[in-house]
């Protein structure tokens, strides 16, 4: 990969496991924290240096307990008192949801927009451990 930031997807049409890739070489799938060596689609993440703001909701269709975030959150359970995020409104910036605390496990890329249920961002479960802003200069994949 020669420049920019990309999200690689395990399946066609932006499905399956998602991986955030930055400029650099990836000689094998473990270097991008991959679960396998399969990439069938990818999408460029546009350059962005604005504000970051999103609102997470405990239930689908923006119901239940909610929390507005503008900063990274390494442990959602500690901050939100639940690990279930069933809907999201990304108002500003690009974000990554992670399956486990401290930015580990499966990753889910979120662009600005409304996501009424967790399946809309590719997840089979509403359970997450952490989330962070996608800031190219500071973002790194955790192994």
């Amino acid at each position: 990969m020669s420049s920019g930031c990309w999200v690689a997807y395990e399946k066609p049409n932006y499905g399956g496991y998602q991986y955030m890739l930055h400029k650099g070489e990836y000689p094998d799938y473990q270097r991008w924290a991959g679960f396998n060596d399969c990439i069938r689609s990818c999408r460029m993440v546009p350059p962005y240096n604005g504000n970051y703001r999103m609102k997470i909701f405990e239930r689908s269709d923006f119901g239940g307990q909610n929390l507005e975030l503008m900063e990274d959150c390494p442990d959602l359970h500690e901050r939100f008192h639940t690990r279930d995020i069933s809907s999201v409104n990304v108002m500003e910036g690009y974000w990554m949801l992670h399956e486990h605390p401290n930015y580990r496990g499966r990753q889910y890329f979120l662009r600005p927009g409304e996501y009424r249920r967790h399946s809309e961002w590719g997840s089979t479960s509403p359970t997450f451990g952490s989330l962070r802003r996608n800031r190219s200069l500071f973002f790194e994949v955790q192994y």
Side-chain angles (χ1 to χ4, degrees):
M1 178 169 303
S2 60
S3 67
C5 186
W6 296 80
V7 179
Y9 297 82
E10 170 193 38
K11 296 181 180 178
N13 300 312
Y14 314 113
Y17 291 117
Q18 302 175 25
Y19 309 104
M20 182 64 66
L21 303 176
H22 296 272
K23 182 179 178 177
E25 295 183 16
Y26 299 89
D28 62 63
Y29 68 92
Q30 293 159 337
R31 298 293 175 134
W32 71 65
F35 292 98
N36 59 52
D37 65 354
C38 198
I39 293 179
R40 298 286 186 248
S41 55
C42 62
R43 141 183 353 222
M44 186 176 164
V45 178
Y48 181 78
N49 20 329
N51 295 321
Y52 291 83
R53 192 164 62 106
M54 74 181 304
K55 198 170 205 177
I56 57 176
F57 297 83
E58 179 183 27
R59 296 197 193 113
S60 296
D61 295 314
F62 313 113
Q65 179 181 318
N66 66 77
L67 178 68
E68 187 168 315
L69 296 157
M70 293 183 280
E71 299 288 330
D72 299 347
C73 183
D75 189 336
L76 282 167
H77 187 265
E78 182 178 290
R79 179 109 183 257
F80 193 43
H81 306 295
T82 182
R83 290 189 61 207
D84 287 348
I85 299 175
S86 293
S87 54
V88 172
N89 183 4
V90 178
M91 295 163 280
E92 297 178 277
Y94 298 87
W95 297 76
M96 290 298 287
L97 273 174
H98 295 264
E99 180 180 30
H100 301 296
N102 298 311
Y103 318 114
R104 299 191 186 282
R106 289 186 70 169
Q107 305 171 45
Y108 301 93
F109 177 62
L110 299 173
R111 300 181 292 174
E114 293 184 346
Y115 301 84
R116 295 188 167 279
R117 51 198 49 79
H118 61 270
S119 60
E120 291 181 5
W121 62 77
S123 179
T124 58
S125 166
T127 304
F128 300 95
S130 54
L131 62 84
R132 72 167 138 193
R133 299 163 291 167
N134 182 14
R135 300 179 303 155
S136 295
L137 295 175
F138 306 105
F139 187 95
E140 61 188 12
V141 175
Q142 298 289 319
Y143 296 96

